[in-house]
Amino acid sequence: MAFQVEGAYQGRGITKSDSGGETSKFLPSLYFDPPFEDIALEEFEELAIDRLRVLKGIEAAKLSGKRENELTDAVFTLLKQHMQEDTAEATRRKDAISHFVLRLAYCQTDELRRWFIQHECDLFRQKFRIISEDEKVSLLEKCHLPCTKLKQDRFKALEENLLAVYHSQQSERITKEELWMESKFFQVPFETVPELVAMRKVYVENGMVFLKASQLTALLVGHFRAQLSKCLILTARK
């Protein structure tokens, strides 16, 4: 059985992390390229089973009502139990191949596709959460998403509104200068982050949304969801 692995785990994604530790083996990937490598049937099945254990574990953790930080801990525990190999390269190889193997299994019906997309997005979200702001921006740039870093003069024009949004969500009171120093801000089209807009967690002006680097997760997860959905439909038609 043949799969093309080279692009899948060395392609358009993050290849190293400044965060260190074992979690650096589990970097987010957008799985642009399908794998191509000879794999024994036994390994093919083992890879599918191990990734399915992770996704089922995420489903169980969410149903148990875990908070976000608890869910993150649970996800990385599952990854270490079922996906971790001796080296970071081997771990990324397993991650890439197992993802594409399950695509084949879960592309056949709407119900299967919905389940797979939801839990792959949950897994991607948790991986994306733990990387640095610079790594998040790097990944966004590789996706060519409509995301522009806010320059200080533009921030100055919006600072009153941005500070009002911050204070509506945080009990801690900070100054405009502290807000600028605390986080990078970005400008994205309204339609790319509907979840944040609906929850009133961002400032919106003239069809553009202004968000902090910590909120970029919603943008990239939305892109990942859309791309995965499209790929599953195309796979089902082949």
Side-chain angles (χ1 to χ4, degrees):
M1 199 166 289
F3 290 89
Q4 180 182 34
V5 175
E6 180 182 358
Y9 59 90
Q10 294 181 336
R12 286 174 282 177
I14 296 172
T15 56
K16 62 181 180 179
S17 174
D18 296 330
S19 58
E22 291 186 341
T23 56
S24 65
K25 291 184 178 182
F26 307 114
L27 299 172
S29 172
L30 292 161
Y31 308 106
F32 284 111
D33 305 307
F36 192 86
E37 172 185 310
D38 289 335
I39 303 172
L41 181 59
E42 182 179 344
E43 184 185 9
F44 183 90
E45 294 174 345
E46 288 174 354
L47 291 171
I49 291 170
D50 282 345
R51 192 177 193 90
L52 191 56
R53 284 171 175 157
V54 171
L55 299 184
K56 292 280 189 180
I58 292 172
E59 180 180 42
K62 290 179 65 180
L63 290 173
S64 70
K66 290 185 183 297
R67 297 178 180 179
E68 191 68 22
N69 288 338
E70 294 173 331
L71 184 58
T72 301
D73 291 341
V75 168
F76 281 95
T77 296
L78 288 164
L79 288 171
K80 290 171 186 176
Q81 287 175 343
H82 304 298
M83 299 297 293
Q84 183 165 282
E85 297 293 318
D86 292 337
T87 67
E89 183 72 6
T91 299
R92 287 194 289 272
R93 172 186 178 274
K94 182 174 183 177
D95 174 63
I97 299 175
S98 64
H99 170 83
F100 280 96
V101 169
L102 286 192
R103 275 195 191 184
L104 296 175
Y106 280 81
C107 70
Q108 300 303 321
T109 68
D110 287 342
E111 184 178 357
L112 288 174
R113 286 194 291 268
R114 281 195 298 269
W115 187 91
F116 182 67
I117 290 169
Q118 180 58 57
H119 295 95
E120 281 287 335
C121 284
D122 290 336
L123 176 57
F124 181 87
R125 180 182 294 106
Q126 296 304 325
K127 289 180 178 181
F128 191 71
R129 281 191 72 212
I130 59 95
I131 63 176
S132 70
E133 286 191 359
D134 288 341
E135 288 171 326
K136 290 177 181 178
V137 173
S138 175
L139 195 54
L140 285 166
E141 289 173 347
K142 289 172 183 176
C143 297
H144 303 291
L145 290 173
C147 178
T148 306
K149 185 178 178 181
L150 220 59
K151 295 182 178 179
Q152 191 165 14
D153 58 344
R154 183 59 174 146
F155 173 84
K156 286 285 186 183
L158 299 168
E159 59 186 4
E160 292 286 352
N161 292 312
L162 295 175
L163 191 62
V165 172
Y166 178 91
H167 285 154
S168 71
Q169 299 168 45
Q170 305 289 337
S171 57
E172 178 189 5
R173 312 302 287 183
I174 64 173
T175 65
K176 300 167 189 174
E177 292 75 19
E178 289 171 331
L179 181 63
W180 170 253
M181 295 297 294
E182 180 186 278
S183 178
K184 300 180 181 72
F185 279 83
F186 296 83
Q187 172 180 304
V188 302
F190 177 93
E191 65 274 9
T192 59
V193 285
E195 179 181 340
L196 293 179
V197 174
M199 298 174 70
R200 299 184 179 181
K201 288 189 173 183
V202 289
Y203 176 63
V204 182
E205 181 179 289
N206 296 328
M208 302 302 294
V209 173
F210 301 89
L211 43 74
K212 296 185 297 182
S214 60
Q215 296 172 309
L216 290 173
T217 305
L219 175 63
L220 199 54
V221 170
H223 175 76
F224 178 74
R225 180 186 296 275
Q227 293 302 307
L228 181 55
S229 177
K230 185 187 300 183
C231 288
L232 287 173
I233 291 173
L234 291 174
T235 302
R237 290 174 180 171
K238 292 180 180 180

